[in-house]
Amino acid sequence: MTDADTKQHIKSRLPPRPGSDSRSTWRYAVAGLSASLVGLGLARFSYTPLIPALIAAKWFSASDVVYLGAANLAGYLAGALAARALAARVGAVRALRAMMLLATLSFLASATSLSFTWFFGWRFLSGLTGGIIMVLTASVILPHTSAARRGIVGGVIFAGVGLGVAASGTLVPLLLQQGLEQSWYGLGLLSALLTLASWWNWPAEAKPAATPSHQAKHHRGSLSARALLLQYGLNAVALVPHMVFIVDFVARGLGQGIAAGSRYWVLYGLGAVVGPLVTGQLGDRSGFGPALRAAFLIETAAVLLPTVSTAPLSLIVSSVVLGGFTPGIVPLVLGRVHELVPHSLEHQRGMWSHATTSFALFQAAAAYGFSWIYAQAGGDYLVLFGLGGAALMLALAIDLGVSLMTREK
């Protein structure tokens, strides 16, 4: 047995650190779920079903609401870039609490239509909260989680994104029956309750371990790390056809109407609730590298399925699977980050911040690029699904290529 093996054996025999017991772990995970539900699930996805009401109430024109949606994406990117600096200045837990409060305030402020600039600013800030929450939440909680349970705990944290998707198709229509202003107030109240419920359930922040500068540079510049950032961005591209176009594809492209399109969005939301729990557990059992490779393969088949068949069963499978991987890819990539950077909290947070930025950039570019391609292709949705599948095939090819190269070394 080598010295490294001996140290690892002794470490595995040590009692768990204070705060890492099962009850505390799940309490922390629920706090993380609340944060992702507020800053990612509700702040982003609840806007989509509110768009028709915003136009009908003459708050904004149809072209305005597109720019307001883009404001959230821009804010998300800004949040991903600013998260580490904010955490270093005020502490990650304080930053998370502040972002949940800011997201709550953004809902309440959006109930008043003072001007386009006012609304744009709050949509940007709501996106900012999501970017910061995405980067910081897991890095606060996972150091208090055993390595064997990081996948499932990460899945619980980011199940909040799926709950937000589900709420966008169920809760928001119910709130709209009371009126547009009341809908924003209702979302604000829910956000406030989740913020309050999580307030005292965050763990104490783990102190970053000192990492030699040459080791940190190696992690940041390693081939596997750079490939992972690109793969995560390509995965974001592949999610766009379903995330943006699936309802319209069914409603107008297949001529089945808005009601039918909305049903597939609900299925997408149901998949999003379960997805991160399934993928997180898969990562724990098989390792995050193999699980990520399997995810790319399954996603490729699901994205391309509508190009082969538009039968109801095909669309159901495609919607549920892609809904599942919308948040479900997150615990897999996050777990892979921890595998590639195993000993430094600060550099794990840094790499995860870069990954989140990559995802945001690729997703925003794909959302606008696919809209342009759709117009140029004369409204052919199948081209978009084909491009999404191609992005995933490229991600899988990169993964296999890097795996072969590292083995040769």
Side-chain angles (χ1 to χ4, degrees):
M1 183 179 285
T2 65
D3 289 343
D5 291 335
T6 303
K7 290 179 181 178
Q8 182 62 35
H9 177 72
I10 294 172
K11 186 176 180 181
S12 67
R13 302 286 293 182
L14 292 175
R17 293 174 297 170
S20 64
D21 58 280
S22 180
R23 183 179 299 177
S24 295
T25 296
W26 295 117
R27 184 161 55 88
Y28 303 153
V30 171
L33 182 149
S34 299
S36 68
L37 175 54
V38 170
L40 293 160
L42 295 177
R44 172 175 293 189
F45 291 104
S46 65
Y47 177 72
T48 301
L50 287 168
I51 288 176
L54 290 169
I55 298 172
K58 300 189 185 304
W59 281 25
F60 304 104
S61 66
S63 59
D64 285 340
V65 297
V66 174
Y67 289 107
L68 292 172
N72 186 271
L73 292 175
Y76 182 81
L77 176 58
L81 293 171
R84 291 176 68 201
L86 181 63
R89 182 176 292 272
V90 304
V93 172
R94 286 183 180 177
L96 287 165
R97 287 171 176 158
M99 290 306 102
M100 293 183 75
L101 286 174
L102 183 58
T104 300
L105 186 59
S106 75
F107 290 124
L108 299 176
S110 296
T112 304
S113 177
L114 294 180
S115 67
F116 175 84
T117 304
W118 167 270
F119 214 86
F120 186 96
W122 286 110
R123 289 306 300 160
F124 179 89
L125 288 174
S126 71
L128 182 83
T129 66
I132 292 173
I133 285 171
M134 173 62 87
V135 172
L136 298 183
T137 303
S139 67
V140 166
I141 295 170
L142 293 187
H144 299 266
T145 305
S146 66
R149 290 192 294 183
R150 280 180 185 156
I152 187 61
V153 170
V156 171
I157 293 170
F158 294 106
V161 181
L163 288 172
V165 177
S168 73
T170 53
L171 176 62
V172 172
L174 293 175
L175 289 172
L176 281 171
Q177 293 178 11
Q178 307 303 316
L180 186 53
E181 291 182 2
Q182 289 77 5
S183 298
W184 287 112
Y185 286 132
L187 291 170
L189 176 60
L190 176 58
S191 180
L193 291 174
L194 290 166
T195 301
L196 180 63
S198 66
W199 194 268
W200 292 279
N201 289 325
W202 294 102
E205 288 187 59
K207 293 182 179 180
T211 303
S213 59
H214 70 276
Q215 184 179 350
K217 184 177 180 181
H218 168 73
H219 285 313
R220 286 198 300 271
S222 72
L223 180 61
S224 296
R226 293 197 303 270
L228 183 63
L229 300 183
L230 179 56
Q231 289 169 303
Y232 196 36
L234 290 168
N235 197 98
V237 171
L239 295 175
V240 168
H242 280 73
M243 187 183 296
V244 177
F245 296 100
I246 187 63
V247 175
D248 198 45
F249 170 60
V250 174
R252 294 194 305 123
L254 299 180
Q256 296 181 16
I258 294 176
S262 298
R263 285 195 290 271
Y264 286 103
W265 183 250
V266 172
L267 290 169
Y268 183 94
L270 292 175
V273 174
V274 178
L277 303 176
V278 174
T279 59
Q281 196 162 28
L282 177 64
D284 284 336
R285 292 187 176 184
S286 66
F288 292 97
L292 196 57
R293 197 170 302 137
F296 290 145
L297 187 60
I298 295 169
E299 281 184 276
T300 301
V303 172
L304 293 176
L305 192 54
T307 67
V308 178
S309 170
T310 56
L313 181 60
S314 298
L315 295 177
I316 289 170
V317 171
S318 184
S319 297
V320 171
V321 172
L322 264 297
F325 278 108
T326 296
I329 197 67
V330 178
L332 294 182
V333 174
L334 184 61
R336 185 61 177 150
V337 167
H338 280 256
E339 288 180 345
L340 293 174
V341 191
H343 303 299
S344 171
L345 172 61
E346 182 58 28
H347 292 106
Q348 286 170 357
R349 184 176 289 170
M351 186 174 172
W352 180 235
S353 175
H354 294 321
T356 303
T357 301
S358 174
F359 189 96
L361 278 171
F362 274 76
Q363 187 175 64
Y368 285 103
F370 281 13
S371 296
W372 181 83
I373 291 169
Y374 170 77
Q376 297 301 310
D380 188 351
Y381 298 88
L382 299 183
V383 172
L384 307 182
F385 294 115
L387 290 172
L392 282 167
M393 285 189 280
L394 178 57
L396 182 58
I398 291 170
D399 186 84
L400 293 173
V402 169
S403 179
L404 288 173
M405 292 175 68
T406 52
R407 282 179 187 174
E408 288 175 0
K409 293 180 182 179

